[in-house]
Each structure stands twice: as structure tokens, then as C-alpha cells.
Amino acid sequence: MEIPFVRLEPWSQRDLELLRRLNAPEMTEHLGGPETEEEVVGRHERYLKLDDPGLGAMFSVVVEPELETVGSIGFWEREWQGETVYETGWGILPEFQGRGIATAAAIAIATKARAEGRHRHLHAYPSVEHPASNAICRKAGFTFVGEVDFEYPVGHPMRCNDWRLRLL
């Protein structure tokens, strides 16, 4: 399969509607379910503020040449096993899934995180019950580290796979 060309656009005010679309039950099945409108707006505001150099950033995923916005991806700092690392997460709208877009976006976000020159690793933590996201990690060059327990959102325990990509 040919990997599509994607462009990552910095998160902006216009992306609130995208975030609402990504909040659908089929998109949040492995993340504890949809958020309330208040939570979505709060998340949007946090994404807009995540623009300090080196700390991470959120992006909308745009496919070319159509220039259609099809999802989101980002990276941000977190403490993990005694080390500060970057974490990444993404969502591609259902009608665009299965085309390699998320894999292309994961490769692109790794390039952006690597360019920061700040942390050794980029991690992704998809649910063990989400085969598509785990396949994206593998296809994007991440190494499987093992299973871990997370609470996401707060009050919702979940079992995840820890995938790691070396940046430096």
C-alpha cells in the first residue's frame, strides 16, 4: 500500500469542530468513551496552549493533494519510569481509516519530536484491545516494550501497550 502524503498543521481555533468529530463513540471506544462538551472545549483550549518550544504540540492531520483535514496528532512531555519522554497520540476520522494516514502522521510527528532535540524517546500507549493503533506503532517504527496499566481518563483503568521510538 502506498503511504499517503500528510501535512501536520498547528492546532488552531478552527480545529474545535474536528475535536468534536473525534469525540464520537466509535473514536473513543478504547479511551473511556466520549467526553462532555465542556471537556471537549477544555481539551481544545489545552491544545491551543501546547505550543511552548520543546514541550510538545498538537496538530491537525491534512491529506494532500486534497487538503482535507482528517484527524489529529500531537506529542507532549510526560514522566515515564524516571525519565522525561515525549508521548504521542492520534485520531483519524472513521471515513479515512485504513489508508495509512495514521502511520504517515505518526512518522511525521516523530520527525517533529526528534527535531526538538530534547528527549531520547517518543512513546505511544494504545490499548491492548486496539489492534489498529498497535499496528500503526509497529509500521511507524516503534519498538514494543511491554504491557502497562494506565488510568485514562481519570477513574477509567485500562491496559495499554508501551511502544517506544528512539529520537536521539
Side-chain angles (χ1 to χ4, degrees):
M1 170 177 27
E2 182 179 325
I3 295 180
F5 186 76
V6 300
R7 184 168 71 201
L8 303 184
E9 294 286 333
W11 198 261
S12 69
Q13 282 295 341
R14 74 179 182 280
D15 293 316
L16 177 57
E17 186 54 36
L18 170 63
L19 197 55
R20 287 180 174 126
R21 291 182 66 201
L22 291 168
N23 191 47
E26 64 272 18
M27 292 295 300
T28 59
E29 175 184 357
H30 299 285
L31 298 171
E35 295 178 308
T36 66
E37 176 64 12
E38 182 179 321
E39 290 168 326
V40 170
V41 170
R43 177 179 297 277
H44 175 64
E45 292 300 319
R46 287 191 306 277
Y47 286 179
L48 288 169
K49 292 176 185 171
L50 186 63
D51 62 359
D52 289 335
L55 299 181
M58 285 302 297
F59 301 89
S60 58
V61 178
V62 177
V63 291
E64 293 190 347
E66 299 88 352
L67 300 179
E68 190 159 8
T69 301
V70 300
S72 70
I73 193 165
F75 69 99
W76 51 90
E77 286 187 328
R78 77 166 294 132
E79 291 301 314
W80 183 246
Q81 299 178 340
E83 177 185 11
T84 304
V85 301
Y86 284 131
E87 177 181 353
T88 186
W90 56 82
I92 302 298
L93 294 168
E95 61 269 30
F96 298 98
Q97 293 175 4
R99 301 182 191 179
I101 295 169
T103 299
I107 292 167
I109 204 71
T111 299
K112 288 189 175 294
R114 187 175 283 116
E116 295 293 333
R118 190 170 170 130
H119 301 302
R120 285 183 44 194
H121 295 110
L122 174 67
H123 287 257
Y125 306 98
S127 167
V128 297
E129 298 174 359
H130 197 307
S133 284
N134 284 283
I136 290 161
C137 292
R138 187 183 73 257
K139 291 176 194 174
F142 286 71
T143 300
F144 178 69
V145 178
E147 290 187 18
V148 294
D149 290 318
F150 272 100
E151 189 174 327
Y152 186 85
V154 175
H156 182 263
M158 60 186 292
R159 191 80 174 149
C160 297
N161 286 325
D162 179 4
W163 291 88
R164 179 177 66 202
L165 181 70
R166 187 171 180 94
L167 298 175
L168 302 176

